[in-house]
Amino acid sequence: MSIEIKAPMTGKIINIVVNVGDQVNPDDEVIIMDAMKMEIPVYAPEKGTIKEINIKEGDSVKTDQ
């Protein structure tokens, strides 16, 4: 089963903390975004392995993308 991690709000990706193959636990920080001039951390919702990363630093994303 796959779980997608989605952007909680519109913003820009400023740091991808994980790499493909990394193991994550619930509430591990995976991405940091810039939204409304604040750094917004995005967390893993559950334990698992990062299978793919479909964005890159500097990308602009919309809510739930």
Side-chain angles (χ1 to χ4, degrees):
M1 181 170 108
S2 294
I3 302 287
E4 290 185 352
I5 300 172
K6 297 184 178 190
M9 61 182 56
T10 299
K12 183 177 179 180
I13 304 301
I14 57 173
N15 190 12
I16 300 172
V17 181
V18 295
N19 295 299
V20 172
D22 286 356
Q23 299 287 317
V24 294
N25 291 304
D27 299 324
D28 281 356
E29 196 171 84
V30 293
I31 293 170
I32 301 172
M33 338 177 18
D34 175 60
M36 301 185 309
K37 299 186 181 189
M38 298 184 339
E39 288 188 6
I40 309 295
V42 180
Y43 301 100
E46 61 185 57
K47 184 177 180 176
T49 302
I50 303 297
K51 296 289 184 188
E52 62 183 329
I53 299 172
N54 297 321
I55 49 139
K56 62 184 181 301
E57 291 177 8
D59 283 355
S60 292
V61 296
K62 295 182 180 179
T63 301
D64 291 331
Q65 181 176 350

